[in-house]
């Protein structure tokens, strides 16, 4: 068994926690080689993770922008040495790895939540309403790992870093710009606490009370699709079937009804709190603690008490 | 240019799914089936391109059981010009894997030579999010997934994509594949006269063997189970009570 793990890197920035979680998911399979492809990236932190046999480092503007056409070509150039090609299930990996799988004529397996063995994997289907166990009959397994349920691989003695050559690249697509929302808050998918707002929050201005509670708890801010569609919150905050999947120690849902598509992204949180004025809201069916009340009273009061 | 839109027939997104007692799959007998919501958005986007005289013809295509005709008729009623049904299964419980779907679509692309393929970002049954990317790879085309805005200008598609950090704008050379996210548009409803008209629009019936494609699955499904239910929670009477509970369980 030999595993190639594609580190999540945007520009020079390594999403270390996402990569370390995917690493601990696949480490039982055998030695892991990490591919660190980016633009100005220092791969040392990746080499210092436990279970890493080697880091392959390659630089290129297209890799930094996570362009699937060039990136899949790069992975293909080193793929033949590996039985498993894996990545954390980020937006970039979801764009790149199916492309790699098709070029290898194998079926991709996305959003893996558990590795039962080297060829058998668990993944959620139907917005998490069912869990499927599948065995791949393909010679190479191409997987994306849903990281929420895994711990970060610990630090260890540094593994060797080797340079590899970039491939020719592709002119099929060009990067134009990133519109990235800067925040000082913890990253949504790895935060220990998430405070989320839904349509009930009512406006972008009102979302400040969600932010205030989040800041008190050093939490990330999440949102429902309705809140994002209505412009109360940016798209990168969306939690759910088509947004981000989170499993923090504490998830506080404010003015969120709890549609299955939203639950798909948060129902594996350790403790769920729901604040909603409608006692019938489905969110209460997954909540450990519920407050049936107006969020505009409860959320500021909660913030005050937790300061 | 022609625009090809693959549409999948899936369980309606409002239906609460149940797992079959023998754990072989989700129970799809006698439940409401609909067009995959992301694919409705793809059809809508294709129609808007036709209304702007960028697309010349919109072709909807579905792969699955014969009943998938329903979603093709819906696409036609929305305004697609014609449809292709590839009957690849006779049991709704048999899902055709994205790799096979991509191989079939690649054959159709050879025959039809579309300038753009608009697919959904993911099918809400298997939640794979793979077919568009796999098809792009097989064709050697560029791709832009999770589109929330699309603009076609002289030979390329400028696409705003929803990514983890926010938005990314890319330019993809045509022909290309774009997969549609929820915020791209609001799909139209088909009017009654258009539903009637759709019944007479051309629908070509094919099989995988017509294209020489083997659709045998690569993944063996062992079990399909319901995820563990959460223990019942409690409704608390006040913010004070909530704070003491959270302190008690040690999360604040
Ligand atoms: C294919 C597909 C994919 C989807 N993917 C996602 C996804 O990834 N994430 C997602 O979230 N949704 C997703 N959705 C949408 C989902 O179905 C719901 O429409 C959405 O989650 C509803 O958001 P909401 O709970 O904020 O809004 P609503 O359902 O409108 O609920 C608002 C809630 O706020 C409460 N409220 C109002 N005012 C107050 C107040 N003052 N105090 C307290 N409570 C108040 C109301 O009682 C209500 O329960 C998807 C839908 C489809 C079809
Ligand atoms: N059987 C199918 N028939 C037609 N289109 C499909 C089929 N399967 C997948 N697609 C298309 O590919 C998209 C992504 O599906 P998936 O990769 O299965 O999540 C869907 O939104 C459809 O546009």
């Amino acid at each position: 068994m030999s595993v190639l793990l594609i580190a999540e890197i945007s520009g020079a920035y390594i999403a270390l926690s996402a990569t370390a979680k995917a690493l601990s998911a696949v480490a039982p399979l055998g030695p892991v080689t990490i591919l660190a492809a980016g633009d100005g990236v220092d791969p040392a932190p990746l080499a210092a993770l436990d279970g890493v046999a080697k880091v392959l480092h390659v630089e290129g503007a297209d890799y930094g922008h996570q362009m699937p056409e060039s990136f899949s070509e790069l992975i293909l150039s080193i793929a033949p040495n590996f039985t498993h090609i894996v990545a954390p299930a980020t937006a970039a990996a979801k764009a790149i790895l199916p492309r790699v799988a098709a070029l290898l004529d194998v079926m991709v397996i996305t959003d893996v939540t558990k590795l039962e063995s080297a060829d058998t994997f668990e993944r959620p289907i139907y917005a998490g309403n069912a869990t499927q166990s599948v065995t791949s009959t393909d010679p190479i397994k191409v997987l994306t790992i849903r990281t929420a349920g895994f711990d970060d691989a610990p630090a260890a003695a540094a593994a060797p870093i080797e340079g590899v050559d970039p491939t020719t690249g592709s002119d099929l697509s060009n990067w134009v710009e990133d519109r990235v929302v800067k925040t000082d808050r913890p990253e949504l998918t790895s935060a220990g606490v998430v405070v989320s707002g839904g349509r009930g929050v009512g406006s972008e201005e009102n979302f400040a009370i969600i932010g205030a509670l989040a800041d008190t708890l050093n939490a990330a801010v999440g949102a429902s699709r309705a809140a994002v569609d209505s412009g109360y919150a940016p798209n990168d905050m969306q939690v759910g079937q088509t947004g981000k999947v989170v499993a923090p120690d504490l998830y506080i849902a404010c003015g969120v009804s709890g549609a299955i598509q939203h639950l798909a992204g948060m129902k594996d949180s350790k403790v769920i709190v729901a604040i909603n004025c409608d006692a019938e809201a489905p969110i209460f069916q997954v909540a450990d603690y519920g407050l049936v009340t107006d969020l505009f009273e409860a959320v500021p009061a909660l913030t005050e008490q937790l300061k | 240019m022609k625009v090809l839109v693959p549409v999948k027939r899936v369980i309606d997104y409002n239906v609460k799914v149940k797992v079959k007692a023998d754990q072989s799959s989700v129970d799809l007998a006698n439940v409401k089936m609909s067009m995959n919501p992301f694919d409705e958005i793809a059809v809508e986007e294709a129609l808007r391109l036709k209304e702007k005289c960028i697309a010349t013809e919109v072709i909807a295509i579905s792969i699955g059981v014969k009943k998938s005709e329903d979603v093709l008729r819906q696409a036609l009623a929305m305004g697609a010009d014609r449809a292709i049904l590839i009957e690849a299964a006779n049991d709704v419980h048999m899902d055709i894997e994205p790799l096979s779907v991509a191989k079939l679509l690649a054959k159709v692309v050879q025959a039809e030579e579309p300038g753009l393929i608009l697919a959904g970002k993911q099918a809400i049954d298997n939640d794979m999010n793979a077919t568009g990317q796999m098809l792009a790879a097989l064709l050697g085309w560029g791709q832009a997934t999770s589109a929330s805005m699309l603009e076609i200008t002289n030979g390329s598609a400028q696409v705003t994509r929803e990514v983890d950090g926010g938005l990314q704008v890319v330019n993809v050379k045509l022909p290309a594949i774009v997969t549609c996210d929820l915020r791209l548009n609001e799909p139209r409803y088909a009017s009654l006269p258009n539903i009637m008209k759709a019944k007479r629009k051309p629908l070509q019936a094919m099989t995988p063997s017509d294209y020489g494609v083997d659709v045998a699955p690569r993944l063996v499904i062992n079990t399909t189970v319901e995820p563990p239910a959460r223990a019942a929670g409690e409704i608390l009477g006040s913010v004070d009570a909530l704070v003491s509970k959270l302190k008690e369980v040690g999360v604040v």
Side-chain angles (χ1 to χ4, degrees), chain A residues 197-200 223-227 238-243 255-259 261-262 275-278 281 293-296, chain B residues 13 37-38 124 182:
Chain A
R199 198 199 309 269
S224 71
R225 175 189 168 194
Q238 183 174 310
V239 170
Q241 183 181 19
T242 59
V256 174
S257 62
Q261 294 87 3
H262 187 81
I275 302 175
N276 193 309
C277 56
D278 174 9
T293 179
D294 184 354
L295 72 91
F296 295 106
Chain B
Y13 80 94
F38 294 95
I124 61 161
L182 294 169

